[in-house]
Amino acid sequence: MTTQHSKNDSNEFNQKIIPFLSIIIPGSSQFLFKKNWRGFTIFIFSIISGFLIHWGYDKFNIGKVSINADVSFSWLIFPFLFFYFWNILDAFLIQRDKKSPVLLAFFSIAIILYVIGWSVTGVKLDRLITRFDDAKSVMRKLVNPDFFSTEVDGKIEICSWGCLWDYTAAKFTGAQPPEVFLSTNVGQIFGQKGTVTASSWAVLLGKATKNERIPGFETGKIIETIAIGLLATIFSTILAVPVSFLAAHNIMKRIPGGSIVYYISRTILNIVRAIDTIVWGLIIIVWVGLGSFAGVIALTIHSIAALGKLFSEEIEHIDSGPVEAIEATGGNFYHIVRYAVIPQVIPSFLSYTLLRWDINMRSATVIGFVAGGGIGFFVLETIRMGGYQQYAAALWAIAVVIIVVDYISSKWRFNILKDQPKTAAEIPAWKKIRNVIYVIIGIIVFLYAWEIAKIDLTKLFDPGPTFGRLLKDFVSVDLTGKVIDNVVRELIITIMQAFLATTLGGVLAIPFSFLAAKNLTGKNKFSAWIFYIVRSTFNVLRSIEALLYVAIFVYWVGIGPFAGMLALSVTTFALLGKLFSEAIENIEPGSIEAVNATGANKLQAIVYSIVPQIVPPFLSYLIYQWDINIRMATIIGFAGGGGIGLMLSTFFGSLQYHKAGTVILAIVIVIAIMDFSSAKIREKFV
Amino acid sequence: MLKIENLCKTYPNGTQALNGVSFEVEEGEFLAVIGLSGSGKSTLLRCINRLIEPTSGNIIWNGDDITAATGKEIRNIRRQIGMIFQQFNLVKRSSVNINVLSGRLGYVSTLPSLFHIFSKEDHERVKKTLEMVGLADKIDVRADSLSGGQQQRVGIARALMQEPKMILADEPVASLDPVLAHSILKYLEKLNKEYGMTVICSLHFLDLVHRYATRAIALNEGLLVFEGMPQEIDDAMFKHIYGKEAERIEII
């Protein structure tokens, strides 16, 4: 009895002492009170914000307040101290079974993060206004793409909308129309007659010699892009299937030593996936040289890792019943895989492949920025020469292709995932013939793509002169203080770009997403128009990669992280706008009805019925977008958007592979941490 | 004859599913295994064909020590033991034909079977077994387009393809309605009586035990608490097996 009593006493004593621990280590007493999440979050954020305040003050004098010549400090200490005292108060309140309001802590941390983010990404709002004329001129060029030309006084000029109007009007009235023809730009994008290097088929048939230039049809850059995306998808799917079995735990634990193989494969997949396609492009061109082949390899490598992960998760989630049944009949390992696993995963594998095709097509439009193939290379050239109307034409072409691909891919995926058993016993003859024709067309398209993407497998065994050095240098990366210092600086800028872009794009997306929700707008003719306009704006903006937008903002606000951040905000706005509006469309009308039935007014209905239903999906999409943006921010620098990408391309360009290796390592670590934490946050809140 | 000696199974999480279970099954018996959910019935059945590794104890079948078998030997033993599952465990997207053929996998060589190539005899056997379970016309349809009762008959056909000497049935009727339950158990009874196969079947309802089993054993928290004729399970024994709070439910 006495021991029991003293135990209680010491417990009570502990309970009293615990809150004081938060004075020494923020979050520690929350942790001891079994509020693990709260304690851990407080701890992490006090470390992060403390470090950022010190770092920002040290490097950029962020928030510097000078009292006299000797004494100065950053005013950001005040929100930090506020957070610190909040944490202590919280600890004491938890002891009394209460909590201090999270919103206050949230605001103090937000002030710190936004002030520092604002400074390091060089946000200059004034430029948006002072240089608005530049923006207007680039916008005018964007809506007047170089598709048609006309001849004025013996000089060839771009035929803009006004000129096309005159032309059409003249046609109708029977007057002499001005001469209008397709620009050479169109030929470069879509293809034109010219001279080409003899194809391997022509060489094989003896109609030309190797590398001979013969008259023929020059492939357009957009066609080349389609070929790159298509081939990368085909190759990566074929290679990802075996890889995914190595990375599926339920399969690998069946064979001796399999668990080790599983952990190794999973780790490799995660590392490969953390490095963006564009960065792979930089590495691959050292191996096989510039060209669309390098682009295909870069896309393939990244998508093997992405598909490999998705496929292996799919394998791990199969129904284990059939596996047990095949095992019980005396089947061996291969029988289990063939009869119990493969039939179950086919639909989801196909659907992921189609999704990947969509993603690869988007990557294929920008891989040319570094690898030198496809429309990305063309865009880079036009920007370099200041040909914004040619650039505009390329963007419009990309938008059309991506929207079509997106449509086909999602339609197809929908049909596959329905996965209805066939009702008709026999396949009619016309369907059989149709299937054969599809297969033939597929083979022809594949061979054609192979030809125009200039796939040359022999190049794989004949690596470039510095490739050996690159491999060696990547093993012994440069970890000297100065390099680390610079990498950390660029990384913080990159993360802040993603952070600002996610919030800016997200905040802008919210009001527009309500306009693009069919259950809110689209009820009468006028609002239906709003619905269609906003939705299509989302779709068009979404179809173009952030990297392609950078040029516009560089023109507007100048080279640097601010331009990159704005480009990321555009894609964020478009994707979140679409996802948010779909979330709104999925609201259950029943609950609105129920709230209305209580006699609530419109505003009350929104607060009590709509808001609770859309907050979880909005948060989930925001985290998803954050994951995307952090990856995109690492490459936005390739087009002049600042951040770590610029540094990486400089190191590659000057053959400093030691340092490039450091950057890649840093990117992998940051992406891994971000992925891990966002997965945890999602688990906790969504 | 199947002889289980002092069988124990402890799962990695510490659960003791079987705690020294010993009993014997004569050839040609229809043995019912009863007990609450979680009493160890499924673990017991899966230890017999080594889908689950027993922690200790011996299983001797016709003189062979099943617990000592390795790799190829296990698979040779398994192919002589058909198994039927509560959730049918068919590959839903595959055709009935392929599902039934997969019962033959323990006999055929690996490479051809990976391309769905089977001998003519095996294809004949599929037709015969499907006729036996009354599904001859369903051979080419996908398994998921069948009803629950039909799917379980495909499960039986798959087990029959193994030409088994013994059948393990793990609550084969627990996912089916009472009428279908009888129809499935009648098939098992037929295999037991006409073909002389030993049947070990876990069941939930005592009526079914009385109606079909020749002998019964009962498990409670991994211990064998009853062994004898089905008729011997009276109300007192019932409470001993299922606990004091239990009430008997009749099904048609």
Side-chain angles (χ1 to χ4, degrees):
Chain A
M1 194 64 207
T2 34
T3 47
Q4 186 68 40
H5 190 74
S6 71
K7 211 176 182 181
N8 272 347
D9 250 10
S10 78
N11 260 351
E12 230 164 77
F13 180 70
N14 276 343
Q15 292 287 319
K16 278 197 174 137
I17 216 79
I18 283 175
F20 290 96
L21 285 176
S22 271
I23 300 177
I24 307 162
I25 304 169
S28 59
S29 51
Q30 281 85 348
F31 205 82
L32 288 173
F33 280 130
K34 301 265 179 288
K35 306 254 184 254
N36 294 0
W37 246 93
R38 205 176 178 89
F40 186 71
T41 319
I42 293 173
F43 178 69
I44 286 290
F45 272 106
S46 43
I47 287 188
I48 291 175
S49 51
F51 167 77
L52 281 177
I53 293 169
H54 169 75
W55 177 85
Y57 178 72
D58 192 39
K59 309 270 179 201
F60 297 94
N61 289 330
I62 295 174
K64 186 169 180 172
V65 181
S66 301
I67 296 176
N68 56 44
D70 297 322
V71 183
S72 64
F73 61 94
S74 167
W75 66 266
L76 286 174
I77 311 208
F78 295 121
F80 183 73
L81 284 176
F82 183 85
F83 180 67
Y84 173 70
F85 287 120
W86 175 89
N87 139 68
I88 298 168
L89 178 71
D90 186 55
F92 280 97
L93 283 175
I94 287 178
Q95 192 196 18
R96 288 173 183 75
D97 277 330
K98 286 184 262 177
K99 282 175 183 174
S100 35
V102 178
L103 214 57
L104 290 176
F106 183 78
F107 273 126
S108 50
I109 292 294
I111 290 173
I112 298 172
L113 292 181
Y114 279 106
V115 168
I116 292 173
W118 191 277
S119 313
V120 297
T121 53
V123 174
K124 295 185 187 72
L125 286 186
D126 56 308
R127 282 209 188 166
L128 288 177
I129 297 153
T130 55
R131 292 172 64 163
F132 193 68
D133 282 343
D134 288 338
K136 270 202 308 209
S137 98
V138 79
M139 285 305 162
R140 198 175 302 120
K141 286 172 179 164
L142 284 180
V143 294
N144 285 303
D146 177 12
F147 284 126
F148 298 99
S149 297
T150 184
E151 215 174 315
V152 181
D153 307 330
K155 273 203 315 197
I156 291 174
E157 275 183 14
I158 295 165
C159 177
S160 57
W161 292 111
C163 149
L164 282 177
W165 173 254
D166 290 345
Y167 174 77
T168 336
K171 274 270 179 188
F172 268 106
T173 53
Q176 178 67 29
E179 204 185 340
V180 170
F181 43 91
L182 285 175
S183 307
T184 50
N185 190 42
V186 172
Q188 283 166 346
I189 294 174
F190 295 99
Q192 62 193 348
K193 278 197 188 120
T195 53
V196 292
T197 311
S199 71
S200 47
W201 316 112
V203 177
L204 214 65
L205 295 171
K207 290 195 171 162
T209 53
K210 202 168 164 38
N211 291 332
E212 193 192 358
R213 300 286 292 175
I214 52 169
F217 191 76
E218 284 177 12
T219 317
K221 289 295 173 189
I222 195 84
I223 309 293
E224 205 175 294
T225 308
I226 295 171
I228 292 173
L230 192 67
L231 287 179
T233 310
I234 294 170
F235 294 153
S236 59
T237 307
I238 293 169
L239 294 168
V241 170
V243 170
S244 67
F245 279 88
L246 296 179
H249 196 240
N250 56 344
I251 301 295
M252 292 318 281
K253 72 176 183 199
R254 296 183 165 273
I255 51 179
S259 284
I260 300 167
V261 178
Y262 160 78
Y263 284 113
I264 295 173
S265 340
R266 266 291 163 97
T267 313
I268 293 176
L269 288 186
N270 282 338
I271 293 175
V272 172
R273 219 161 41 87
I275 301 170
D276 193 90
T277 314
I278 300 282
V279 179
W280 277 113
L282 281 174
I283 299 171
I284 300 303
I285 55 172
V286 182
W287 183 7
V288 300
L290 281 172
S292 27
F293 183 44
V296 172
I297 299 177
L299 260 67
T300 304
I301 290 177
H302 188 261
S303 51
I304 289 173
L307 282 178
K309 177 174 177 277
L310 294 171
F311 284 0
S312 59
E313 282 168 355
E314 211 50 53
I315 295 172
E316 285 175 354
H317 291 146
I318 56 164
D319 173 12
S320 60
V323 174
E324 200 179 21
I326 300 294
E327 215 180 351
T329 65
N332 59 27
F333 175 76
Y334 302 102
H335 291 139
I336 292 172
V337 170
R338 178 66 184 92
Y339 283 83
V341 181
I342 291 178
Q344 288 195 57
V345 295
I346 283 176
S348 46
F349 274 29
L350 280 177
S351 126
Y352 278 134
T353 300
L354 284 169
L355 183 66
R356 196 66 215 175
W357 177 50
D358 187 328
I359 297 171
N360 279 343
M361 285 304 303
R362 289 164 196 267
S363 299
T365 62
V366 290
I367 190 68
F369 271 72
V370 296
I375 193 93
F377 183 65
F378 176 81
V379 167
L380 198 62
E381 290 288 292
T382 54
I383 298 168
R384 229 171 246 159
M385 294 183 301
Y388 275 82
Q389 279 176 285
Q390 287 77 30
Y391 163 72
L395 289 195
W396 284 107
I398 291 170
V400 169
V401 169
I402 296 295
I403 287 171
V404 169
V405 167
D406 186 295
Y407 178 78
I408 297 174
S409 156
S410 63
K411 190 108 188 159
W412 225 343
R413 259 180 294 155
F414 179 75
N415 284 339
I416 286 171
L417 288 181
K418 267 199 306 191
D419 191 36
Q420 297 293 349
K422 284 186 203 81
T423 39
E426 286 240 347
I427 305 166
W430 67 270
K431 268 195 176 169
K432 279 183 189 162
I433 295 169
R434 191 192 62 178
N435 290 348
V436 170
I437 292 173
Y438 279 172
V439 169
I440 292 171
I441 291 175
I443 291 171
I444 292 171
V445 168
F446 176 76
L447 292 176
Y448 181 62
W450 182 288
E451 189 64 41
I452 55 182
K454 302 183 191 70
I455 303 295
D456 183 359
L457 296 178
T458 57
K459 275 191 188 164
L460 290 178
F461 305 100
D462 180 26
T466 53
F467 188 62
R469 192 155 76 75
L470 179 140
L471 290 182
K472 218 172 72 214
D473 288 1
F474 270 17
V475 180
S476 55
V477 294
D478 189 340
L479 294 175
T480 48
K482 195 161 172 274
V483 177
I484 298 275
D485 236 30
N486 287 335
V487 171
V488 167
R489 187 191 66 228
E490 293 304 318
L491 265 182
I492 293 177
I493 294 176
T494 307
I495 295 170
M496 285 302 178
Q497 276 182 298
F499 179 62
L500 292 185
T502 311
T503 34
L504 177 63
V507 167
L508 288 178
I510 290 172
F512 285 96
S513 65
F514 281 89
L515 295 179
K518 205 162 197 166
N519 51 348
L520 297 182
T521 50
K523 286 195 176 140
N524 61 48
K525 254 199 179 143
F526 172 69
S527 62
W529 270 104
I530 296 179
F531 166 78
Y532 284 116
I533 290 171
V534 180
R535 259 293 162 91
S536 351
T537 311
F538 285 153
N539 282 334
V540 172
L541 289 178
R542 203 167 58 85
S543 64
I544 291 163
E545 291 285 287
L547 210 52
L548 298 169
Y549 282 125
V550 178
I552 300 169
F553 292 105
V554 165
Y555 194 93
W556 188 354
V557 299
I559 281 185
F562 185 35
M565 190 277 275
L566 289 173
L568 282 176
S569 308
V570 174
T571 46
T572 305
F573 167 73
L575 181 56
L576 283 184
K578 175 181 179 269
L579 294 173
F580 283 180
S581 60
E582 282 167 359
I584 298 168
E585 284 173 0
N586 286 333
I587 289 178
E588 267 191 68
S591 69
I592 305 176
E593 214 175 7
V595 173
N596 280 337
T598 65
N601 63 30
K602 266 238 158 89
L603 201 65
Q604 285 166 326
I606 288 175
V607 171
Y608 282 90
S609 166
I610 298 182
V611 170
Q613 286 192 63
I614 58 177
V615 166
F618 274 31
L619 268 183
S620 156
Y621 288 138
L622 207 61
I623 298 169
Y624 169 70
Q625 183 69 45
W626 159 251
D627 281 347
I628 295 177
N629 280 353
I630 198 92
R631 287 184 154 78
M632 281 294 155
T634 62
I635 57 164
I636 204 85
F638 290 110
I644 198 123
L646 180 63
M647 194 181 198
L648 190 58
S649 70
T650 320
F651 284 153
F652 265 101
S654 54
L655 308 184
Q656 303 189 64
Y657 298 137
H658 280 298
K659 294 176 183 170
T662 319
V663 175
I664 292 177
L665 183 68
I667 292 176
V668 169
I669 293 171
V670 166
I671 301 268
I673 294 173
M674 294 297 167
D675 272 4
F676 180 78
S677 44
S678 57
K680 284 285 158 205
I681 294 172
R682 202 175 286 124
E683 254 172 51
K684 173 81 182 166
F685 292 106
V686 186
Chain B
M1 190 178 73
L2 180 75
K3 203 167 155 189
I4 313 271
E5 288 169 348
N6 209 9
L7 196 67
C8 293
K9 172 66 190 178
T10 310
Y11 285 105
N13 64 9
T15 318
Q16 276 209 331
L18 293 176
N19 204 348
V21 173
S22 304
F23 64 93
E24 285 176 14
V25 188
E26 294 294 333
E27 213 172 304
E29 272 193 289
F30 192 124
L31 179 80
V33 184
I34 57 175
L36 286 171
S37 301
S39 59
K41 303 188 298 286
S42 292
T43 306
L44 173 66
L45 289 177
R46 281 170 174 73
C47 280
I48 294 174
N49 63 358
R50 290 271 300 276
L51 284 181
I52 289 175
E53 285 299 322
T55 313
S56 65
N58 290 316
I59 302 168
I60 316 286
W61 188 36
N62 297 337
D64 294 330
D65 188 352
I66 293 182
T67 35
T70 54
K72 184 81 184 142
E73 288 165 19
I74 298 180
R75 291 201 293 275
N76 275 339
I77 291 168
R78 277 181 189 154
R79 74 180 188 192
Q80 299 172 56
I81 306 175
M83 191 159 190
I84 297 162
F85 304 85
Q86 178 183 349
Q87 297 297 339
F88 327 133
N89 289 0
L90 302 180
V91 180
K92 295 200 169 59
R93 295 193 61 257
S94 294
S95 66
V96 168
N97 185 30
I98 294 295
N99 269 297
V100 176
L101 273 172
S102 68
R104 209 62 203 155
L105 291 174
Y107 291 89
V108 298
S109 49
T110 305
L111 195 62
S113 70
L114 293 186
F115 299 96
H116 289 175
I117 297 169
F118 288 86
S119 68
K120 219 172 160 190
E121 291 82 54
D122 286 342
H123 284 293
E124 284 302 314
R125 211 172 260 130
V126 171
K127 277 189 195 137
K128 261 198 337 231
T129 45
L130 278 179
E131 251 163 50
M132 201 195 128
V133 296
L135 289 174
D137 55 328
K138 300 286 186 192
I139 185 160
D140 283 323
V141 306
R142 250 167 65 159
D144 54 1
S145 56
L146 298 180
S147 68
Q150 289 173 324
Q151 290 195 28
Q152 191 59 297
R153 274 142 70 193
V154 175
I156 293 175
R158 176 175 61 193
L160 288 181
M161 288 294 283
Q162 295 171 236
E163 301 182 308
K165 298 198 178 90
M166 176 161 74
I167 288 199
L168 305 173
D170 181 20
E171 300 192 9
V173 296
S175 306
L176 301 173
D177 64 51
V179 180
L180 286 171
H182 278 291
S183 97
I184 293 297
L185 284 171
K186 273 181 188 144
Y187 281 112
L188 291 185
E189 189 181 36
K190 185 176 171 190
L191 299 178
N192 176 250
K193 290 208 170 124
E194 287 179 24
Y195 298 83
M197 293 179 197
T198 311
V199 175
I200 305 181
C201 177
S202 62
L203 284 171
H204 257 316
F205 292 105
L206 272 184
D207 304 38
L208 297 176
V209 178
H210 286 151
R211 162 83 175 72
Y212 294 100
T214 56
R215 215 156 60 85
I217 59 169
L219 294 175
N220 191 347
E221 296 193 344
L223 290 165
L224 191 73
V225 292
F226 170 82
E227 187 176 2
M229 305 306 285
Q231 295 76 19
E232 291 172 37
I233 309 173
D234 51 16
D235 280 354
M237 184 47 81
F238 181 81
K239 293 226 188 287
H240 178 56
I241 297 169
Y242 286 100
K244 288 194 169 52
E245 304 299 312
E247 291 287 337
R248 286 181 68 162
I249 316 166
E250 306 268 326
I251 72 163
I252 35 168

